[in-house]
Amino acid sequence: QLQLVESGGGSVQAGGSLRLSCAVSGYTYGSYCMGWFRQAPGKEREGVASVETDDDSTYYADSVKGRFTLSRDNAKNTLYLQMNSLKPGDTAMYYCAAAFAIRSYDCYSSVNSWGRPDDFGYWGQGTQVTVSS
């Protein structure tokens, strides 16, 4: 079992930055995929960034490449998402999620249009990010 708690959301103007945090507790051993997802009103949940914990292979959605950076602090069991050059289109509820027993390809797929959020069995409650123009 894993418990995930996000924080760090807020309201910023376009061009601003935010850093989201996801505190992970529970059974954190072994290799698994962790990801950041977002969902805007009326839209489907989409993967933003993901990482394979065994080798730190990190993947990004095309829409955020060069602007968002996923990182981990293993000592603190915390996942971060640094978001720079924010755009109004980034406005959404952001979720942290984890998936055990997931293939490397599926971790990569989670940030692409064919990804399956349902592969992730553990979710946080979400943190709202609002970007104004």
Side-chain angles (χ1 to χ4, degrees), residues 102-119:
I102 188 172
R103 299 178 304 169
S104 177
Y105 177 75
D106 291 328
C107 192
Y108 159 77
S109 295
S110 67
V111 300
N112 289 281
S113 59
W114 61 89
R116 301 175 304 190
D118 288 347
D119 284 343

Side-chain angles (χ1 to χ4, degrees), residues 3-111:
Q3 293 79 44
L4 309 174
V5 179
E6 304 96 334
S7 60
S11 297
V12 297
Q13 290 191 328
S17 298
L18 284 173
R19 188 177 80 157
L20 306 183
S21 299
C22 174
V24 184
S25 61
Y27 187 83
T28 59
Y29 301 99
S31 62
Y32 47 99
C33 175
M34 291 208 67
W36 285 99
F37 292 78
R38 67 186 182 187
Q39 188 167 20
K43 294 188 176 181
E44 294 187 352
R45 191 167 295 192
E46 62 175 355
V48 174
S50 61
V51 61
E52 298 182 56
T53 62
D54 56 353
D55 65 3
D56 280 332
S57 294
T58 306
Y59 312 106
Y60 296 95
D62 287 344
S63 59
V64 306
K65 279 180 182 175
R67 300 189 299 121
F68 290 11
T69 303
L70 183 156
S71 62
R72 295 193 302 146
D73 186 331
N74 292 332
K76 295 182 178 179
N77 280 338
T78 302
L79 188 75
Y80 301 100
L81 186 68
Q82 178 67 43
M83 306 186 295
N84 298 328
S85 302
L86 283 162
K87 305 174 181 179
D90 295 319
T91 295
M93 184 72 80
Y94 283 72
Y95 299 90
C96 174
F100 286 92
I102 188 172
R103 299 178 304 169
S104 177
Y105 177 75
D106 291 328
C107 192
Y108 159 77
S109 295
S110 67
V111 300

